[in-house]
Amino acid sequence: MHNELIPFDPARDPQALAASGALDGNVAQFAQPRGPDLLRRGAALDAWCTLRARHGVWPYARVLEGPPEPLATVAGGDGPARRGINFASQDYLSLAAHPAVAEAAQRALREAGPHSAGSAVLLGNTRLSQQLEASLGELLGLGQVVLFPTGWAAAFGAITGLVHGADHVVIDALAHASLRQGAMAATRNVLVHRHLDCDHVRELLARIRAQDSANAILVVTEGLFSMDADSPDLPLLQHLCREYGATLLVDVAHDLGALGPGGGGAIASQNMTGRIDIVMGSFSKTFATNGGFVACAERPARRQLQMYAGPHMFSNALSPLQAAVALESLRIATSAEGDGLRADLLRNAVELRALLAGAKLHCPGAPSPIVPVWTGSESAARIAGMLLARDAVFVNPVEFPGVPLGAARLRLQLMAHHSPAQLRRAAGLVAAACERAGAGRPPALAGAERYRA
Ligand SMILES: Cc1ncc(COP(=O)(O)O)c(C=O)c1O
């Protein structure tokens, strides 16, 4: 049968798996298929995905059965559904399981129903979405907030809604796809700077301003990079933007709520609350639902986003359920209870990193909900991910286009409710899987130098 799963046989070693071809290739190879037949020219991609799925190294095949908690049931990998330790879901403060969040969702369902039934400009706003805007504005110290149906939409909408073809974007080499695609859609004047390298940002800003003083420049970065768990120097970036008449946008999808004093993320940790030009983020990592936002201090920018950010104007507004869940999650994240959950999360991050470092694994970045474990080769990430799933430890093997080619890794994402015993058990199994998979060490060059723009 064509789609039949070939169960991974523990007796077979990774070399045998390699012979199947399921460890070869990468998504980049199939990105530009040729020919007039739009529906069939992806056949080679289809065959490649099918081969990987049959050998249990295709993460798309997995499904979660039940809630995304530290102990979760996952089906559809290389065998029957397994209950195991889950580092593959994003629920940093464990709010998806919080009774008050569930109660807020039920109340919204009772009182407003499941559907916003229109874009924000066409009666899609609700009391809940207005309260959510106000609460976000308070946390960020930025009074002008626009909501979006997803974080992706917020990133894409922020850039395409504000930047036009004569403007310039200067963007970190490792910025999320939503930001990069937004930049490319907004203007051809996109310059990529080396990861976290403020000297390079300065150089590019100076180069642009030497030729063009008439148009805008948007500098784009993240509060906590989603694959490398590191953060830029935000005061310096904002200072450079002032110096060169540019505007700074920081994507706080992974750090807002989960890190920083009061849940204010990397921006609060760097004492920049209310002092960043544009902040955008997502509810999908810490705030237990789908949705995103863009915030700034200037009303003209808000008006522009409302009118010209396509994913806001031309997409259904957040449902009352989503708004209620995000609002209640935000309330908890900014309360004393949130401080406690963040402390648990950070303790878990420090503990897991120490365990993995003790096993001689390389984990880039600093303690945060994201713990990347370097494998280098895509095949090593695939094998390690599969071996771990077999041991009922669920992680996300990440390869191109999520990260550069040859910089594959396992991404473990922590929750406040992971227990010390779960971390200990997982760390041992991660180390064993990486060794068996032949995970490599990163090149000697560290940090910014590893990624040439
Ligand atoms: C840095 C960053 N920005 C934006 C997004 C998009 O957020 P969402 O998943 O809510 O669409 C993500 C999620 O993958 C992300 O990691």
Side-chain angles (χ1 to χ4, degrees):
M1 222 169 71
H2 187 57
N3 283 331
E4 188 185 348
L5 180 76
I6 299 178
F8 183 75
D9 173 359
R12 289 192 313 157
D13 60 19
Q15 279 72 26
L17 182 63
S20 73
L23 301 178
D24 299 339
N26 58 68
V27 180
Q29 282 171 244
F30 306 100
Q32 302 279 333
R34 298 275 169 217
D37 188 345
L38 276 176
L39 294 178
R40 297 216 177 91
R41 68 185 193 182
L45 171 66
D46 175 43
W48 181 70
C49 298
T50 304
L51 177 70
R52 286 184 59 182
R54 292 179 71 208
H55 289 84
V57 287
W58 181 235
Y60 218 120
R62 300 173 301 171
V63 292
L64 194 57
E65 294 186 348
E69 293 177 0
L71 205 54
T73 304
V74 175
D78 73 312
R82 293 189 182 90
R83 190 150 177 78
I85 310 170
N86 179 18
F87 296 99
S89 298
Q90 311 184 118
D91 185 29
Y92 296 154
L93 291 190
S94 293
L95 294 179
H98 197 292
V101 172
E103 171 51 31
Q106 282 157 9
R107 200 179 324 116
L109 188 58
R110 276 195 311 274
E111 293 175 4
H115 190 20
S116 67
S119 95
V121 73
L122 300 176
L123 199 55
N125 278 334
T126 60
R127 286 263 174 269
L128 289 162
S129 65
Q130 283 185 331
Q131 287 168 19
L132 180 57
E133 286 174 359
S135 297
L136 277 166
E138 217 169 291
L139 174 59
L140 297 166
L142 297 170
Q144 306 295 323
V145 178
V146 181
L147 298 176
F148 287 79
T150 64
W152 197 97
F156 190 86
I159 302 178
T160 53
L162 294 174
V163 172
H164 60 62
D167 296 329
H168 306 262
V169 175
V170 174
I171 186 166
D172 189 290
L174 298 188
H176 190 257
S178 53
L179 299 163
R180 282 185 279 122
Q181 290 182 25
M184 301 302 279
T187 175
R188 296 175 72 170
N189 305 326
V190 178
L191 293 176
V192 178
H193 72 80
R194 288 188 293 273
H195 183 50
L196 303 184
D197 187 339
C198 289
D199 289 339
H200 197 200
V201 174
R202 185 197 300 272
E203 189 185 314
L204 295 177
L205 289 176
R207 196 192 301 169
I208 295 168
R209 278 295 174 237
Q211 292 163 7
D212 182 357
S213 57
N215 293 292
I217 309 173
L218 183 68
V219 174
V220 178
T221 191
E222 298 183 15
L224 175 69
F225 277 83
S226 59
M227 296 297 172
D228 287 60
D230 50 12
S231 299
D233 182 334
L234 294 172
L236 181 51
L237 279 180
Q238 186 62 76
H239 171 80
L240 289 174
C241 285
R242 293 271 179 276
E243 191 178 335
Y244 288 93
T247 302
L248 180 63
L249 181 151
V250 182
D251 177 343
V252 296
H254 288 273
D255 53 299
L256 190 75
L259 294 176
I267 289 175
S269 300
Q270 297 190 33
N271 203 20
M272 290 296 285
T273 300
R275 295 156 70 194
I276 299 289
D277 293 324
I278 304 174
V279 178
M280 61 110 330
S282 163
F283 303 133
S284 63
K285 329 292 176 191
T286 299
F287 303 100
T289 188
N290 291 356
F293 66 88
V294 179
C296 64
E298 301 297 338
R299 203 168 62 191
R302 180 179 188 226
R303 292 266 190 237
Q304 229 181 308
L305 290 170
Q306 287 175 328
M307 294 299 115
Y308 300 109
H312 172 80
M313 170 71 133
F314 293 106
S315 193
N316 210 52
L318 286 185
S319 76
L321 245 76
Q322 291 172 316
V325 166
L327 186 61
E328 182 61 15
S329 297
L330 194 60
R331 187 195 64 73
I332 298 167
T334 52
S335 69
E337 185 182 358
D339 291 338
L341 290 168
R342 267 185 299 282
D344 292 346
L345 178 64
L346 203 59
R347 192 203 51 231
N348 282 346
V350 170
E351 174 69 13
L352 183 60
R353 279 178 178 269
L355 290 164
L356 294 171
K360 303 273 178 290
L361 291 171
H362 177 67
C363 302
S368 76
I370 298 165
V371 182
V373 181
W374 183 272
T375 65
S377 79
E378 288 74 24
S379 61
R382 290 175 205 166
I383 297 170
M386 183 191 60
L387 292 171
L388 283 166
R390 227 184 53 203
D391 285 331
V393 175
F394 309 116
V395 304
N396 284 319
V398 188
E399 55 182 89
F400 182 89
V403 292
L405 286 171
R409 64 204 68 182
L410 305 176
R411 183 170 69 169
L412 281 65
Q413 282 166 294
L414 285 162
M415 305 180 206
H417 286 179
H418 275 117
S419 70
Q422 287 171 335
L423 301 185
R424 280 195 300 277
R425 175 166 169 72
L429 291 168
V430 169
C434 283
E435 188 179 346
R436 190 144 176 237
R441 300 283 302 170
L445 292 173
E449 292 154 20
R450 211 166 55 227
Y451 303 102
R452 287 276 149 211

Short mmCIF file of all heavy atoms in Angstrom, two decimals, residues 6 105 326 358 379 412:
data_model
loop_
_atom_site.label_atom_id
_atom_site.label_comp_id
_atom_site.label_asym_id
_atom_site.label_seq_id
_atom_site.Cartn_x
_atom_site.Cartn_y
_atom_site.Cartn_z
N ILE A 6 6.04 2.43 7.51
CA ILE A 6 7.03 1.39 7.81
C ILE A 6 7.48 1.62 9.24
O ILE A 6 8.18 2.58 9.52
CB ILE A 6 8.23 1.48 6.85
CG1 ILE A 6 7.72 1.27 5.43
CG2 ILE A 6 9.30 0.49 7.22
CD1 ILE A 6 8.79 1.39 4.37
N ALA A 105 -13.33 31.21 28.79
CA ALA A 105 -13.76 30.76 27.45
C ALA A 105 -15.23 30.36 27.49
O ALA A 105 -16.02 30.71 26.59
CB ALA A 105 -12.89 29.61 26.99
N ALA A 326 -7.31 35.20 25.66
CA ALA A 326 -6.11 36.05 25.68
C ALA A 326 -6.18 37.04 26.84
O ALA A 326 -5.19 37.27 27.54
CB ALA A 326 -5.96 36.78 24.35
N GLY A 358 25.57 19.20 30.71
CA GLY A 358 26.29 18.13 31.39
C GLY A 358 26.47 16.91 30.50
O GLY A 358 27.41 16.14 30.66
N SER A 379 19.59 15.36 8.75
CA SER A 379 19.31 13.94 8.98
C SER A 379 19.45 13.61 10.47
O SER A 379 18.65 12.84 11.02
CB SER A 379 20.24 13.06 8.14
OG SER A 379 21.57 13.31 8.48
N LEU A 412 13.24 22.26 21.97
CA LEU A 412 12.43 21.88 23.13
C LEU A 412 11.81 23.15 23.68
O LEU A 412 12.50 24.15 23.89
CB LEU A 412 13.29 21.22 24.20
CG LEU A 412 13.66 19.74 23.98
CD1 LEU A 412 14.55 19.57 22.77
CD2 LEU A 412 14.32 19.16 25.22
#
